[in-house]
Amino acid sequence: MKKWLACILVAGLICLGLLACEKKENSIQQEDQGEQLITVGFSQLGAESDWRSANTKSMKEAFSKENGYNLIFEDGQQKQSNQIMAIRTFIQQEVDYIVLAPVTETGWDTVLQEAKEAGIPVILVDRMVDTDNEDLFTCFVGSDFELEGKKATAWLKAYLEKKGIAPEEVNVVNIQGNLGATAQIGRSEGIRYAAAEYGWNLLDQKPGDFTQAKGKEVMEYFLKRYPELNVVYCENDNESFGAIEAIEEAGKKVGTDIQNGDIMVLSFDGVNGEALQYVIDQKIACIGECNPLHGPRVSDIIQSLECGIKPPKLSFVSEEIYVHDQTVKSVSVDGKEYSVTTMTEEVANKKAEQFGN
Ligand code: GZL
């Protein structure tokens, strides 16, 4: 193509983009006269954990009227059928965007096809869908859960090596999240990978549904069935709280000194002060951070789409590893170095403030 023609084309595209953004700016100004908001239907999967509460809070704060949105929020109460019903309602209401945190990865093609035929973009937040047709959703923003698992277990491997503990002495049980949830699939893969790679004994894996009550119940079973266990890998902090209750009620001790009978607890999330305090007290040896503040991230995606800018198909947030012990300063996973954050009162207060709890 002739250069001058290409320049005109590019100039035209830039003007179109600016016009689209101008339209956006105007619509927010218009909104001041209550004229035009972007309507977003958000199907949240439930309220099972502190992480979920922090995530819902972040989404509701981002999709406020002041920010130019009309949010329709539906709580799926851990049932896919409720979420599918919510999506169909959003379609009938002709929302501008659908945001979905899917409770499980499978079974979404039909309803996502309906949204596609209605011309409504679907943004996945936090959890992924298992589909052969990636055109059924616009993009995903959330965590890389397998990486979270590999980072936490890489820290444990480095720590145990420094303490002179042989891999064959490590007896791990895994309290999983809701089976079929992206966070569970990735984190469970993380411990399976670590046990195979490092030579640990992975004694058992059972779902704890990301809740404290179920986490306690599963831990009570594991303590009876596997007296030799010395590491418990929980797939979120609420499960860890339940596991620690069960361990202490059984007269055992959580800590980091497994040579003297401690049981080491690994966990994920780190969104409330109680969990971070457990790290400071070394009742939880390591937390793989899972950042819940997706509200601004999803809003930025919608603003890009409003300006005709295509977001990346997959966006993963970068996350830390929280420990109190300073034996291990960084870990290497798949050839990449990750620093370890030493959890102190000061760091914990700052983090808890960030999550409003
Ligand atoms: C992770 C999220 C998980 C949290 C749990 O992004 O999907 O679900 O780790 C929550 O606390 O229940």
Side-chain angles (χ1 to χ4, degrees), residues 19 79 113 128 145 148 153-154 239 245-246 268 312 317:
L19 272 175
K79 288 196 178 68
Q113 183 60 35
M128 182 50 91
F145 300 109
E148 288 178 350
T153 50
E239 290 179 349
E245 265 183 273
F268 296 90
V317 295

Side-chain angles (χ1 to χ4, degrees), residues 237 241 269-280 284 287:
D237 293 335
F241 300 156
D269 288 346
V271 300
N272 72 13
E274 186 184 1
L276 302 179
Q277 189 59 49
Y278 273 5
V279 175
I280 294 168
I284 295 179
I287 289 183

Side-chain angles (χ1 to χ4, degrees), residues 75-150:
D75 176 349
Q77 296 174 337
Q78 299 292 324
K79 288 196 178 68
Q80 180 176 36
S81 55
N82 289 343
Q83 292 197 279
I84 289 173
M85 202 163 20
I87 292 171
R88 289 193 167 124
T89 306
F90 296 153
I91 294 170
Q92 283 162 3
Q93 291 167 306
E94 297 182 343
V95 299
D96 298 308
Y97 295 90
I98 290 172
V99 178
L100 170 65
V103 65
T104 186
E105 289 205 343
T106 54
W108 299 97
D109 279 18
T110 303
V111 75
L112 292 181
Q113 183 60 35
E114 291 166 23
K116 184 176 173 62
E117 284 160 10
I120 303 174
V122 175
I123 297 163
L124 301 179
V125 62
D126 175 35
R127 305 267 184 91
M128 182 50 91
V129 297
D130 178 4
T131 178
D132 295 334
N133 179 0
E134 292 217 333
D135 291 339
L136 291 179
F137 65 93
T138 301
C139 60
F140 162 88
V141 57
S143 302
D144 179 339
F145 300 109
E146 188 172 328
L147 176 61
E148 288 178 350
K150 285 183 174 178

Side-chain angles (χ1 to χ4, degrees), residues 48-49 51-52 126-127 143 145 183 187 210 235-236 238 268-269 290:
E48 75 288 354
S49 66
W51 188 97
R52 190 65 49 198
D126 175 35
R127 305 267 184 91
S143 302
F145 300 109
R187 290 170 186 163
F210 290 129
E235 294 186 1
N236 85 331
N238 296 87
F268 296 90
D269 288 346
C290 183

